[in-house]
Amino acid sequence: MPSPYRELKERAWAANQEIPKRGLAIYTFGNVSALDAARGVIAIKPSGVDYATLAVDDLVVVDLDGKIVEGTLRPSSDTATHLVLYRAWKGVGGVVHTHSGYATGWAQARLPIPIYGTTHADHLAEDVPCTAVMSDEAVERDYEVETGNQILECFRGREPLHTPMVLVAGHGAFTWGETPEKAVYNAVVLEEIARMAFVTKTLDPSAKRLPERLIEKHFERKHGKNAYYGQKK
Ligand SMILES: [Zn+2]
């Protein structure tokens, strides 16, 4: 009998293939998950499997409590972090985790990425947030769940779909979106924003943030109720 999760797994597989293709990870680094909200399950990359040999049926389907529903491999070790985000945030349909170089550089420096230019403002209207460093007590608890909690803590008062990315201090990047494809897109955008900001700060360590009016203008024309960027759908 064909798997009822075949389409979800295919989508998650394709989204995972974008990670090495877009230069966001080496070896087995990184992982993408895709949500089937109606069934209450996600499909996620198995732990430690190379992208080049990853097959659609290697994807692991787990429910929102982390119980394996389908698949023979162990799901990504970061699965619990993905699940914390799905459970907390309605409307998120895909989550990505990478250690892409520039984003992780900022995360390791424990610095939010300042909104220096319009490329950044086209995608989010604030600095890319950076979480606090995890406490020793939290590390001793369920590490992956605590990583998710760190992100939720950092997002108190924020709208996750308006700021679909975060740096986890000392660790790496998480991004998300309404779909797994959008979540991967946001991971690529984050890496580019991080690279541009690094260059900016290197050239001018006292570089200024983009003026508030320009931030609003760029964000609104793409995401506001009167958005006019791109073609009408
Ligand atoms: Zn990681």
Side-chain angles (χ1 to χ4, degrees):
M1 209 176 77
S3 161
Y5 307 112
R6 179 75 193 180
E7 207 182 308
L8 181 69
K9 289 197 292 184
E10 280 173 357
R11 218 167 155 188
W13 178 86
N16 272 285
Q17 292 302 325
E18 288 289 303
I19 298 298
K21 202 168 121 192
R22 304 286 176 187
L24 296 178
I26 54 169
Y27 299 115
T28 65
F29 291 26
N31 42 74
V32 183
S33 64
L35 173 74
D36 180 335
R39 291 190 166 98
V41 297
I42 65 167
I44 190 163
K45 184 173 174 283
S47 185
V49 176
D50 210 296
Y51 293 95
T53 57
L54 183 69
V56 173
D57 283 326
D58 291 341
L59 275 283
V60 188
V61 180
V62 304
D63 69 16
L64 294 183
D65 296 321
K67 194 169 126 305
I68 296 178
V69 174
E70 188 175 277
T72 52
L73 299 174
R74 272 170 47 200
S76 161
S77 52
D78 299 306
T79 301
T81 311
H82 290 238
L83 292 173
V84 167
L85 303 186
Y86 286 117
R87 286 194 300 259
W89 294 338
K90 291 278 163 293
V92 168
V95 174
V96 176
H97 174 49
T98 81
H99 294 190
S100 65
Y102 284 93
T104 301
W106 286 90
Q108 291 181 171
R110 305 178 186 180
L111 291 171
I113 303 174
I115 183 163
Y116 285 134
T118 63
T119 319
H120 184 141
D122 279 339
H123 296 91
L124 64 161
E126 62 169 329
D127 297 353
V128 177
C130 184
T131 69
V133 178
M134 197 184 289
S135 68
D136 290 351
E137 297 75 52
V139 175
E140 292 312 317
R141 294 195 290 267
D142 189 326
Y143 176 67
E144 289 76 20
V145 170
E146 291 300 332
T147 301
N149 289 339
Q150 248 184 312
I151 296 172
L152 295 187
E153 181 63 31
C154 178
F155 268 69
R156 265 200 231 178
R158 286 191 161 97
E159 171 50 64
L161 286 172
H162 279 184
T163 302
M165 54 188 70
V166 70
L167 305 173
V168 176
H171 181 170
F174 277 85
T175 64
W176 49 86
E178 294 94 331
T179 63
E181 296 80 17
K182 199 70 209 288
V184 172
Y185 170 87
N186 288 331
V188 178
V189 166
L190 168 59
E191 181 61 7
E192 184 65 359
I193 289 172
R195 191 180 66 83
M196 288 177 177
F198 173 76
V199 174
T200 306
K201 203 171 164 65
T202 302
L203 292 171
D204 178 4
S206 61
K208 300 209 170 22
R209 293 173 84 250
L210 198 63
E212 211 53 47
R213 189 64 202 104
L214 262 175
I215 294 173
E216 281 168 26
K217 180 66 188 167
H218 271 265
F219 190 75
E220 289 300 315
R221 69 179 193 154
K222 263 192 145 172
H223 306 275
K225 58 181 189 307
N226 298 315
Y228 58 85
Y229 175 88
Q231 304 303 318
K232 278 189 184 146
K233 291 192 187 93

